[in-house]
């Protein structure tokens, strides 16, 4: 029986793994660390220790599933030849990062102030489930992920080329909420975290395969890129554009998109600042209502100027 098999049903410590020559890896496509969460974990772990063990799987199994893994501390890619020396965290990445940070901070502390906690781990109990399904189930059922974390996990697991998914990952990594990213790419909020979770488990929705609205979204976003990220990330601007598009007759939809691209590009600094600085009024109009009014006014001015230049 292999050493890892012997350890499979035990709660382990890092010291035990290290004595066996085993190191910690993480999935290359896992979500980025949230420093606020790491700091909160550091505070909790220093005060209370680790309350539940982290979940690990054999690195070789992960690589055989077609997933890329990296050394947790160095970030170096782990080859199949080196996989025997690693286990992969599928849960508790933030806790492990907090543990490492606490150990690093010990260098500058007096002995009585030092963190003396141990990090505990256990192998996943169900060896029959695929790694991608396990990863999905752990993060969906406990729901510690934000919506924007799911696209990166889906991209990591999917072997199929999915341009829409790539676009959504590109936006969510910049801080766009998943529903907003979905609207820029499809004009709908249909690419949900559930769709992403299914993709992580190998069940790819047809919604992710569609690309008919992708170029439209790219053009609009490119035209509006001089606006602040706060405006682009909110749903107000894209919702307004979608409404203009949907109210147009079918034969006018292409020209509406062209007009919207021209309109977004035409917004000067003064108009952009009015949109960006709009604030809701207590007992009065909401911020969204004010922004929509500004957009309607500016768009009317733009279309009139276009008509005038055409007539000339």
């Amino acid at each position: 029986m292999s050493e890892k098999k012997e350890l499979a049903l035990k709660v382990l410590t890092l010291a035990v793994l290290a004595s066996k020559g085993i190191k910690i890896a993480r999935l290359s496509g896992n979500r980025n660390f949230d420093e606020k969460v790491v700091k909160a974990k550091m505070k909790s772990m220093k005060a209370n220790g680790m309350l539940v063990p982290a979940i690990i799987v054999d690195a070789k199994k992960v690589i055989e599933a077609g997933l890329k893994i990296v050394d947790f501390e160095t970030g170096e890619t782990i080859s199949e030849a080196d996989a025997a020396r690693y286990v992969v965290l599928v849960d508790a990445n933030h806790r492990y990062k907090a543990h490492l940070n606490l150990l690093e901070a010990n260098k500058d502390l007096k002995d009585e102030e030092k963190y003396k906690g141990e990090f505990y781990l256990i192998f996943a109990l169900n060896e029959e489930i695929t790694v991608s399904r396990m990863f999905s189930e752990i993060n969906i059922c406990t729901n510690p992920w934000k919506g924007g974390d799911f696209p990166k996990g889906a991209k990591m697991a999917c072997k199929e080329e999915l341009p829409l998914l790539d676009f959504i990952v590109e936006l969510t990594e910049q801080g766009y909420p998943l529903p907003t990213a979905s609207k820029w790419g499809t004009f709908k909020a249909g690419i949900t975290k559930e769709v992403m979770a299914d993709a992580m488990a190998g069940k790819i929705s047809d919604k992710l395969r569609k690309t008919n609205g992708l170029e439209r979204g790219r053009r609009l976003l490119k035209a509006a890129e001089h606006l602040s990220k706060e405006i682009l990330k909110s749903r107000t601007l894209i919702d307004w554009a979608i409404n203009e598009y949907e109210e147009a007759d079918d034969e006018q939809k292409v020209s509406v998109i062209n007009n919207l691209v021209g309109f977004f590009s035409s917004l000067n600094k003064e108009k952009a600042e009015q949109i960006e600085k709009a604030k809701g009024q207590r007992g009065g109009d909401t911020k969204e209502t004010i922004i929509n009014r500004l957009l309607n006014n500016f768009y009317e001015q733009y279309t009139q100027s276009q008509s005038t230049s055409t007539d000339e």
Side-chain angles (χ1 to χ4, degrees):
M1 182 181 293
S2 70
E3 288 182 328
K4 287 182 182 176
K5 284 289 186 181
E6 293 177 9
L7 300 173
L9 296 179
K10 300 177 181 178
V11 175
L12 311 168
T13 65
L14 286 176
V16 168
L17 291 181
S19 71
K20 307 289 186 182
I22 300 172
K23 300 169 71 176
I24 303 296
R26 72 190 299 257
L27 290 158
S28 175
N30 207 342
R31 59 177 169 173
N32 298 327
F33 291 112
D34 184 324
E35 289 304 319
K36 289 183 180 179
V37 174
V38 172
K39 287 179 180 178
K41 297 292 185 185
M42 289 172 66
K43 183 177 180 180
S44 174
M45 291 171 71
K46 189 164 186 178
N48 308 302
M50 194 171 177
L51 302 179
V52 292
I55 300 173
I56 53 177
V57 292
D58 193 293
K60 186 177 180 181
K61 182 177 180 180
V62 178
I63 291 176
E64 287 175 349
L67 302 177
K68 182 180 176 182
I69 58 175
V70 296
D71 185 288
F72 196 101
E73 297 185 54
T74 68
E76 294 179 0
T77 300
I78 298 165
S79 67
E80 189 170 1
D82 292 329
R85 298 189 295 113
Y86 284 89
V87 291
V88 182
L89 278 177
V90 292
D91 172 60
N93 280 261
H94 280 85
R95 277 182 284 161
Y96 187 55
K97 178 66 172 174
H99 177 77
L100 295 178
N101 285 0
L102 287 166
L103 293 179
E104 180 66 24
N106 279 350
K107 296 176 182 179
D108 301 319
L109 299 176
K110 298 177 182 179
D111 189 63
E112 63 271 17
E113 298 173 335
K114 289 183 177 180
Y115 166 70
K116 298 179 175 66
E118 182 56 270
F119 195 84
Y120 297 94
L121 314 97
I122 187 169
F123 276 90
L125 299 179
N126 187 348
E127 293 186 349
E128 303 303 318
I129 193 172
T130 64
V131 173
S132 57
R133 169 57 73 179
M134 182 190 305
F135 190 62
S136 170
E137 288 297 317
I138 286 171
N139 289 291
I140 285 292
C141 294
T142 58
N143 202 29
W145 279 18
K146 299 174 185 176
D149 295 320
F150 288 90
K152 193 171 182 181
K155 181 174 173 59
M156 173 191 64
C158 289
K159 305 305 175 216
E160 184 177 331
E161 287 292 325
L162 297 168
L164 175 58
L165 176 57
D166 291 342
F167 177 71
I168 289 174
V169 169
E170 180 185 328
L171 295 189
T172 53
E173 285 193 330
Q174 294 176 48
Y176 284 69
L178 179 55
T180 306
S182 174
K183 287 181 178 182
W184 280 108
T186 68
F187 271 27
K188 298 181 183 298
I191 309 299
T192 62
K193 66 180 183 180
E194 288 76 20
V195 170
M196 294 299 183
D198 282 345
M200 288 165 60
K203 183 181 177 182
I204 300 174
S205 168
D206 286 340
K207 292 179 181 179
L208 279 176
R209 294 192 172 102
K210 292 181 179 178
T211 58
N212 53 314
L214 186 54
E215 184 57 30
R216 172 186 63 198
R218 286 192 181 279
R219 289 181 64 206
L220 288 171
L221 196 54
K222 178 69 175 175
E225 65 182 2
H226 57 289
L227 298 176
S228 72
K229 277 289 192 287
E230 181 184 354
I231 291 295
L232 298 180
K233 291 176 185 177
S234 77
R235 61 183 177 82
T236 307
L237 186 66
I238 185 59
D239 279 354
W240 176 85
I242 291 170
N243 183 66
E244 291 295 319
Y245 177 80
E246 290 183 342
E247 289 205 347
D249 295 333
D250 288 345
E251 63 272 15
Q252 296 177 320
K253 290 189 182 299
V254 173
S255 63
V256 166
I257 293 300
N258 290 334
N259 284 339
L260 289 173
V261 168
F263 168 61
F264 285 158
S265 299
S266 74
L267 288 171
N268 58 30
K269 184 177 180 180
E270 180 185 350
K271 290 178 178 178
E273 285 183 350
Q274 286 186 57
I275 294 170
E276 291 160 6
K277 293 180 179 179
K279 292 183 179 180
Q281 303 163 352
R282 181 176 296 179
D285 292 335
T286 64
K287 179 178 180 178
E288 182 177 1
T289 298
I290 294 170
I291 291 176
N292 276 316
R293 186 183 301 132
L294 287 169
L295 288 168
N296 287 333
N297 290 339
F298 295 156
Y299 190 51
E300 184 178 356
Q301 293 169 19
Y302 171 78
T303 54
Q304 287 177 352
S305 68
Q306 293 298 107
S307 297
T308 301
S309 62
T310 301
D311 293 341
E312 294 175 352

